[in-house]
Amino acid sequence: MTEEITEDTYRLYTDYVSAGAYCLKTRNGFRIPALVLDQWHEQGFAILRTNTLADKYGVGRKTMWNTIRGAIDNGFIKEVGRTEEGRAMYVPCLQRGVEWRAGREAQV
């Protein structure tokens, strides 16, 4: 998915990542939507390796899984299947960015 990003797509993506940072208030919660968006944009889905992410961000595996679970429970990412190795494949729920922008604009 390496097509050129339009201004509208850029706004959608930044709204989505901003909404994640605003709503997922754990130490690393803001990272999950951005990671999923990046991988999804490149390959059509994201694989979140809990151990790798935990090591990278200096937290325990269980803490990282809880962070990922928070992104799922809050509707920022969803599982769409499994790889042949059994790993969950995730996609971003971009609608969360649309909702976030609408809420911000309603406050003005």
Side-chain angles (χ1 to χ4, degrees), residues 4-17 37 101:
E4 189 172 322
I5 296 178
T6 66
E7 187 175 326
D8 288 339
T9 302
Y10 178 79
R11 180 177 173 173
L12 178 64
Y13 289 178
T14 47
D15 287 350
Y16 170 73
V17 171
L37 179 64
R101 175 164 292 281

Side-chain angles (χ1 to χ4, degrees), residues 67-88:
T67 303
I68 294 167
R69 172 55 58 193
I72 295 167
D73 291 346
N74 285 286
F76 281 91
I77 64 174
K78 67 179 177 179
E79 185 178 329
V80 293
R82 297 268 171 173
T83 65
E84 290 180 10
E85 298 82 31
R87 296 196 179 274

Side-chain angles (χ1 to χ4, degrees), residues 20-21 23-34 64 67-68 71:
C23 297
L24 302 172
K25 297 196 183 268
T26 61
R27 178 177 167 191
N28 290 296
F30 71 96
R31 298 179 196 276
I32 302 305
M64 185 51 68
T67 303
I68 294 167

Side-chain angles (χ1 to χ4, degrees), residues 2 23-24 34 40 47 55 58 62 66 68 71 76 80 85 92 95 98 108:
T2 57
C23 297
L24 302 172
W40 169 77
I47 304 292
D55 288 344
K62 186 174 181 181
N66 288 335
I68 294 167
F76 281 91
V80 293
E85 298 82 31
Q95 182 62 28
V98 173
V108 175

Side-chain angles (χ1 to χ4, degrees), residues 42-69:
E42 291 296 320
Q43 64 190 19
F45 61 90
I47 304 292
L48 300 176
R49 291 178 170 83
T50 308
N51 289 339
T52 303
L53 293 173
D55 288 344
K56 182 175 182 176
Y57 297 117
V59 297
R61 183 194 55 76
K62 186 174 181 181
T63 298
M64 185 51 68
W65 169 244
N66 288 335
T67 303
I68 294 167
R69 172 55 58 193

